[in-house]
Amino acid sequence: MSIGAAILGCSGLELTAREQAFFRAAKPWGFILFGRNVASPDQVRGLVSALRDTVGRADAPVLIDQEGGRVQRLGPPHWGRFPPGRAYGDLAGNDPLLRREITRLGARLMAHDLAALGINVDCVPVLDVPDPAGHEIIGDRAYGRTPDEVALLGRAAAEGLIAGGVLPVVKHIPGHGRARSDSHHDLPVVDACLADLDARDFAPFRVLSDMPMAMTAHVIYSAIDPKRPATTSRSVMRRVVRGAIGFDGLVMSDDLSMKALTGDFIDRARASRAAGCDVVLHCNGDALEMEAVVEGAGALSGRAAQRARAALARIARAPEPFDLAEGRARFDAAFEGRFAL
């Protein structure tokens, strides 16, 4: 059975007949959910099951962006509230171990919510190191202001997810923090020298280079490739992602429908794969765009298929023991009730 090298979204709370037929034929590696796909726990569980049924794989990845703060697809009244990454780094007191503990706990609580729905991949942690002159698109999503802070709490979040049976996705490799525009709308160009990038932007990704999955940045790093963003740059993928950072897990593109990229969707997918992305991501559920993405992405094979299998093998068969009520009480106490249910 040929598997497509794509992760795709869908349009609503249930699959349309057209989506069912298309996914059965295309057999994408995985799927991603957004707020438009979420109404209630039973509805989400049903949608997740229906998505997997179309490809005939019970372990097919189903992703979501559940960071907390501005980026949280699941929330009240059915699911808990979570803070943005910066709130963990700003916890009171001079105790990095406490901040690490609470970051891990927050991710463990999120993993509990996701696993109960059948969602097995969370696009967390954000490992971008914010620059004071950078665009607010990262802002408080970053765990700290220095590479060491970001790496410490980023690993804690990743460990919390893995402990709960959910795969983490480190993003946005090799670093979005210096970008002065939002890649959803424009193509950012970062002109920092390679030494500065290596010391600051790449550093947290190097520390977490053992993670199973990473998502690219639609950012041009002019010191490495002045023409192409990381997602479609063979130089960035080889010299930095696989080279200087040493990441050998599965690399997925950021959303191909973002305006940072140009060209038709066949070309976007083809260029991303040619650069070295193992799979490509398309989020908005537009049927015509998805058809083009699948055509351009091609089949998941060779080293990319090996990385995909290795990533899924990292999902814990049995999550570590966890007292949900006690964990939520500890979490709420740490934030003095600001994010209580």
Side-chain angles (χ1 to χ4, degrees):
M1 178 179 67
S2 178
I3 297 174
I7 299 167
L8 304 176
C10 57
S11 60
L13 300 177
E14 298 178 350
L15 293 182
T16 66
R18 179 175 180 175
E19 286 171 338
Q20 290 176 0
F22 174 64
F23 293 151
R24 287 193 185 102
K27 290 184 170 49
W29 183 63
F31 303 94
I32 189 166
L33 301 183
F34 283 83
R36 66 178 183 272
N37 309 122
V38 172
S40 70
D42 285 345
Q43 172 270 320
V44 174
R45 277 190 288 268
L47 178 57
V48 168
S49 179
L51 288 166
R52 289 194 170 117
D53 284 347
T54 65
V55 295
R57 287 179 283 117
D59 66 343
V62 177
L63 293 72
I64 199 165
D65 289 289
Q66 186 76 348
E67 297 176 15
R70 289 178 286 151
V71 183
Q72 181 168 339
R73 314 304 185 198
L74 307 174
H78 299 295
W79 299 279
R81 295 176 61 232
F82 292 94
R86 180 61 54 77
Y88 296 101
D90 287 347
L91 281 169
N94 186 26
D95 188 351
L97 292 181
L98 171 66
R99 291 191 285 274
R100 188 186 187 287
E101 174 203 348
I102 300 303
T103 305
R104 187 185 192 278
L105 176 58
R108 181 64 183 84
L109 287 163
M110 286 193 283
H112 177 87
D113 289 346
L114 300 180
L117 301 171
I119 298 170
N120 57 1
V121 182
D122 191 2
C123 298
V124 170
V126 174
L127 296 186
D128 304 307
V129 182
D131 186 287
H135 191 277
E136 63 182 9
I137 187 60
I138 299 301
D140 66 359
R141 297 166 67 192
Y143 291 103
R145 296 169 177 83
T146 69
D148 288 346
E149 292 170 340
V150 170
L152 176 71
L153 299 189
R155 179 168 289 282
E159 290 174 353
L161 290 173
I162 291 171
V166 174
L167 288 182
V169 180
V170 298
K171 63 185 186 185
H172 305 82
I173 200 167
H176 204 297
R178 292 181 195 263
R180 298 194 179 190
S181 58
D182 178 356
S183 55
H184 289 85
H185 306 293
D186 301 288
L187 175 57
V189 177
V190 169
D191 290 325
C193 70
L194 184 57
D196 288 347
L197 290 168
D198 188 70
R200 182 177 176 85
D201 303 65
F202 304 165
F205 294 98
R206 188 178 297 114
V207 173
L208 275 79
S209 61
D210 59 328
M211 288 295 113
M213 296 176 65
M215 177 188 292
T216 64
H218 295 331
V219 175
I220 284 179
Y221 306 91
S222 58
I224 306 159
D225 186 336
K227 295 182 179 179
R228 289 171 291 273
T231 302
T232 59
S233 171
R234 184 174 299 183
S235 294
V236 174
M237 292 296 298
R238 290 185 176 181
R239 291 178 54 194
V240 178
V241 175
R242 302 300 189 190
I245 289 172
F247 186 79
D248 194 40
L250 180 132
V251 172
M252 57 184 281
S253 75
D254 203 347
D255 181 14
L256 295 187
S257 63
M258 290 163 66
K259 292 181 173 58
L261 302 183
T262 58
D264 65 33
F265 283 89
I266 294 176
D267 290 340
R268 294 183 192 195
R270 192 171 287 154
S272 301
R273 292 276 282 141
C277 290
D278 297 305
V279 296
V280 297
L281 173 67
H282 182 271
C283 295
N284 66 25
D286 181 279
L288 293 177
E289 290 182 9
M290 286 195 293
E291 290 171 4
V293 165
V294 166
E295 180 178 345
L300 185 65
S301 62
R303 189 72 183 93
Q306 293 174 11
R307 292 188 180 110
R309 288 192 294 270
L312 293 181
R314 295 280 295 274
I315 297 176
R317 295 183 180 179
E320 69 177 21
F322 184 62
D323 186 316
L324 178 62
E326 180 180 311
R328 189 75 212 195
R330 170 76 173 118
F331 184 81
D332 290 342
F335 287 104
E336 299 177 336
R338 283 180 288 151
F339 302 98
L341 299 175

